[in-house]
Each structure stands twice: as C-alpha cells, then as structure tokens.
Amino acid sequence: GHSSPKLFDTISHKAIEKIDVFNLQAIANTIWAYATLGHSSPKLFDSISRKVMENQGDFNSQTIANIVWAYATIGHSSPKLFDFISQKSIEKLHAFKSQEMANTVWAYA
C-alpha cells in the first residue's frame, strides 16, 4: 500500500460525520485499511465501536474477523466492542472459515 497520512486523516473526519450510512462491510473495509497501513485514528475507531454495537444487522464471519483483527493490529482498546463481538462470534461460529477463526482468536490474544 501507499501511505498518505493527510488523506487518511481527512477521510477519518468525513467518515465520522457519515458513520450512520456505513454498513458493516464498509466499516470492516475502512478499519482494515487503517490497520494495514498502521494509521491510528482513535476518534474514528471509537466512532466505529459505537456504530458496530448499535448495529443489530447481519454480522458475517469475515466482517467479525476483520473488525477485531483491525482493532488488535492497530492496538486500539475497546473492551465493550470485543465483548459484543465475542457474543456475535459465538452465534456465527458455525460459518467461520479456518482463517477467520484464526484471525479472531489472534485478535483476542
């Protein structure tokens, strides 16, 4: 990837403003990119935590794995989110692929 701190900071501010229109896949993709590049954005990650916990939508195994992986990779602590996601993981565990299980367990380690 190519790091562009100014772009990521600007997107972070806009994403927070528009967080209510993000679906779970968009959330997972966004924070995956931040974590992959190592670009910390605490306000964005806090905003996403709240949005994810408000969402009673369809959590799939890949979305779950990507969300917790991103938080763990970037080092952003969110115990309430992790508690919430652990319950969703238990409910969806039958659908997890081996890599999604491994990424999820790694994130909790």
Side-chain angles (χ1 to χ4, degrees), residues 24-102:
L24 290 172
Q25 187 63 53
I27 285 171
N29 291 346
T30 300
I31 61 174
W32 176 88
Y34 278 77
T36 298
L37 286 177
H39 189 95
S40 182
S41 182
K43 288 181 181 177
L44 176 61
F45 275 68
D46 288 342
S47 181
I48 285 174
S49 291
R50 286 188 295 277
K51 174 68 175 174
V52 168
M53 290 186 290
E54 291 171 0
N55 192 315
Q56 297 304 318
D58 186 31
F59 285 79
N60 66 48
S61 55
Q62 184 178 12
T63 299
I64 289 169
N66 287 350
I67 288 171
V68 293
W69 177 89
Y71 275 78
T73 297
I74 205 73
H76 188 90
S77 179
S78 186
K80 288 180 182 178
L81 174 66
F82 272 62
D83 288 345
F84 178 82
I85 293 286
S86 70
Q87 183 57 45
K88 294 295 181 185
S89 297
I90 291 167
E91 294 169 10
K92 301 286 185 176
L93 202 53
H94 66 279
F96 275 61
K97 296 176 185 165
S98 60
Q99 187 64 54
E100 294 161 346
M101 281 186 201

